[in-house]
């Protein structure tokens, strides 16, 4: 799935070329993750590629980004709860150690995860989980992708227009 968009996730989202984008939010883009070993994994991307950390945003934009993270987290929670009876919770993280731009991870967690992993951060899963083709985002994830997008629309609130991928 990686392509030119993969090397410039924010710029490609701004141009409407990032295929992982679910919805445009006030201060970023809700996107489904490239890997789906925990189905529903999603990411909130900043809409300013120059911003590297949350503290670089003016207070209003910072709050809008955090609101977007909350909204994406709730959308993932709702969609994953309906899709999998083993859904447990979501973990929300802003790390920024590997990618230079501001982004937030939304990790669904499940009861079916290996007992030795369920209480640990996702980042401690074996490295192969991140690169194995069987966990790559693909057509089989379309129903969950749609469900998360629909939940994002519902959470936009009454009267708020639902933005779609590529809207600026």
């Amino acid at each position: 799935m990686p392509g030119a968009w993969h090397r410039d996730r924010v710029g490609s989202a701004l141009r409407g070329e990032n295929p992982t984008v679910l919805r445009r939010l006030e201060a970023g883009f809700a996107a489904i993750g490239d890997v789906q070993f925990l189905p529903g994994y999603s990411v909130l991307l900043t809409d300013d590629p120059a911003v590297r950390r949350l503290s670089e945003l003016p207070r209003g934009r910072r709050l809008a980004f955090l609101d977007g993270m909350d909204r994406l987290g709730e959308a993932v929670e709702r969609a994953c709860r309906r899709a999998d009876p083993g859904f447990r919770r979501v973990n929300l993280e802003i790390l920024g150690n590997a990618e230079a731009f501001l982004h937030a991870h939304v990790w669904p967690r499940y009861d079916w995860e290996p007992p030795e992993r369920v209480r640990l951060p996702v980042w401690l899963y074996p490295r192969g989980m991140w690169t194995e083709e069987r966990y790559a985002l693909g057509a089989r994830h379309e129903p969950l992708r749609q469900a998360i997008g629909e939940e994002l629309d519902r959470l936009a609130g009454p009267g708020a227009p639902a933005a779609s991928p590529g809207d600026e």
Side-chain angles (χ1 to χ4, degrees), residues 3-143:
W5 67 268
H6 198 261
R7 290 183 296 281
D8 181 14
R9 292 174 187 272
V10 176
S12 63
L14 287 165
R15 293 186 302 275
E17 299 168 358
N18 184 329
T20 65
V21 170
L22 300 166
R23 297 292 185 275
R24 176 71 157 99
L25 303 181
E26 184 180 345
F29 297 91
I32 193 159
D34 298 359
V35 296
Q36 291 292 308
F37 60 86
L38 294 172
Y41 164 57
S42 297
V43 181
L44 177 63
L45 306 171
T46 182
D47 59 5
D48 182 344
V51 173
R52 298 174 55 97
R53 44 188 86 70
L54 187 62
S55 60
E56 293 177 4
L57 291 173
R59 183 143 182 84
R61 296 286 292 160
R62 188 181 311 177
L63 293 174
F65 185 85
L66 291 172
D67 183 67
M69 182 176 73
D70 172 64
R71 187 170 147 204
L72 180 56
E74 188 170 347
V76 168
E77 181 175 327
R78 289 178 177 189
C80 291
R81 183 182 294 123
R82 276 197 320 273
D84 189 328
F87 172 79
R88 238 171 30 96
R89 61 176 300 120
V90 294
N91 293 155
L92 304 172
E93 303 173 313
I94 297 176
L95 302 171
N97 298 323
E99 300 283 351
F101 57 88
L102 175 62
H103 61 287
H105 301 273
V106 178
W107 287 104
R109 302 302 301 260
Y110 297 93
D111 288 335
W112 48 256
E113 291 179 66
E116 69 276 8
R117 299 262 179 243
V118 75
R119 295 187 182 271
L120 298 175
V122 171
W123 307 106
L124 296 179
Y125 265 84
R127 295 308 324 151
M129 303 288 283
W130 304 86
T131 57
E132 289 181 34
E133 187 60 33
R134 67 183 171 141
Y135 298 120
L137 178 64
R140 69 190 176 284
H141 301 108
E142 191 57 31

